[in-house]
Amino acid sequence: MRKIDLPHLDRAAFAGKYGPWAVIAGASEGTGACYAEQLAAMGINLVLVSRRQSTLDALGQRLAAEHGIEFRALTADLTEQGAGARLVEATADLDIGLYISNAGADGAGNSFFGEPVQRSLNLLTMNAANVLEAVHGFGNRFLQRGKGGFVIMSSGAGLGGQPWLVMYSSTKAFELNFVESLWAELDGRNVDIVGVAAPIMDTPTLRRATEGLGMDYSTAYNPADVCALALASLGKEPLVIVPDGPDEEKIPQIQADRKARLVALAEWGKAYTAAATA
């Protein structure tokens, strides 16, 4: 697998700011399980969310035994309207400090016109409406408690249009712009957000989607590395874009250019707001 040079992460400081509880939406396997492993190792308690109760229970029980954490398993279908708001309500009794949006994978090769329209609407609900609901609900709680953070798993497919991934690409682009905008709005408020334009990773989802196609999995990234990079970047960067695809040599410059543009727009917005309210 491809490797990532990981920056240092002060795990005690991370747990102090983003604990004592974290919610991981899409936690049953792959990157979600990697996030659960890494947060549990920091002593952060977990709310594990997916459609598979038994898988969540098994993961939570193992991490509780290994790290002494508490966990709660919540079943939810994030393609259903209102699922994001229900997660906020279901954790009202917990001191949540971190929300990780990790659901929303979609295999390549899906024709927009060749699939039922409901399939596209489900992706729109999962990757846009329910992300919006969860971030709005948890974000207001974080602002009230004075600290917190979000990790939004998007995709490199969101960096531009991609045929046969029309709705996936489109909704992942929404996530990237949503994160960048909130990163600027939250400046100075001690609530952090980072988006991840994830590359191809060697996950169970990828293996299932490419079974029998002869894919060389050594060209994929280790999902644990991508998760570690995201956690280390929270509070430092608006977006993490992992080099991948036909233009991967340009990715560092693309990431830098997007941040420079965002910072410039944020400064313009502050000046405009100050002038408008003067």
Side-chain angles (χ1 to χ4, degrees):
M1 283 186 285
R2 301 181 66 177
K3 297 297 181 182
I4 296 174
D5 291 329
L6 296 175
H8 172 71
L9 174 63
D10 184 333
R11 304 199 320 172
F14 187 97
K17 183 169 187 181
Y18 304 116
W21 283 86
V23 179
I24 306 173
S28 57
E29 63 181 21
T31 50
C34 289
Y35 277 123
E37 295 267 4
Q38 293 174 25
L39 295 176
M42 299 183 210
I44 297 176
N45 304 312
L46 301 173
V47 179
L48 305 172
V49 183
S50 83
R51 290 176 290 187
R52 295 180 285 175
Q53 181 77 44
S54 60
T55 304
L56 295 178
D57 287 337
L59 176 62
Q61 289 164 6
R62 178 174 65 79
L63 294 177
E66 291 177 359
H67 301 289
I69 63 156
E70 298 179 57
F71 81 95
R72 180 178 295 180
L74 296 178
T75 56
D77 184 347
L78 293 171
T79 66
E80 294 180 354
Q81 293 184 0
R86 288 192 289 273
L87 287 183
V88 178
E89 295 168 3
T91 58
D93 61 319
L94 300 176
D95 188 12
I96 306 296
L98 179 65
Y99 180 75
I100 297 179
S101 173
N102 182 64
D106 187 40
N110 297 302
S111 166
F112 176 74
F113 294 109
E115 297 284 343
V117 70
Q118 190 59 48
R119 189 179 195 283
S120 293
L121 292 172
N122 286 347
L123 276 170
L124 187 62
T125 298
M126 178 164 54
N127 292 338
N130 280 324
V131 172
L132 182 158
E133 284 185 353
V135 171
H136 187 271
F138 285 116
N140 277 307
R141 284 167 61 174
F142 295 166
L143 289 168
Q144 186 173 21
R145 74 198 287 269
K147 59 183 178 179
F150 297 96
V151 177
I152 309 297
M153 289 297 287
S154 182
S155 168
L159 294 172
Q162 192 162 336
W164 299 287
L165 278 176
V166 170
M167 286 305 298
Y168 182 72
S169 174
S170 300
T171 56
K172 289 301 177 180
F174 166 82
E175 289 179 331
L176 294 177
N177 285 279
F178 182 66
V179 166
E180 286 179 319
S181 302
L182 287 178
W183 181 85
E185 282 198 22
L186 289 168
D187 182 40
R189 306 189 72 180
N190 207 38
V191 174
D192 302 316
I193 188 166
V194 67
V196 184
I200 294 176
M201 295 176 286
D202 189 1
T203 63
T205 297
L206 177 69
R207 296 265 179 169
R208 287 191 294 268
T210 59
E211 185 177 5
L213 299 180
M215 180 172 178
D216 178 7
Y217 296 107
S218 68
T219 64
Y221 283 88
N222 184 337
D225 286 349
V226 175
C227 294
L229 178 61
L231 296 179
S233 301
L234 183 61
K236 301 177 180 68
E237 298 291 336
L239 294 183
V240 173
I241 308 177
V242 182
D244 198 18
D247 59 348
E248 65 176 64
E249 73 281 355
K250 300 177 182 178
I251 291 299
Q253 190 61 52
I254 290 172
Q255 181 171 325
D257 288 345
R258 286 185 72 125
K259 185 176 181 180
R261 179 180 183 274
L262 175 60
V263 169
L265 287 171
E267 290 304 312
W268 176 87
K270 289 177 184 176
Y272 178 84
T273 301
T277 56

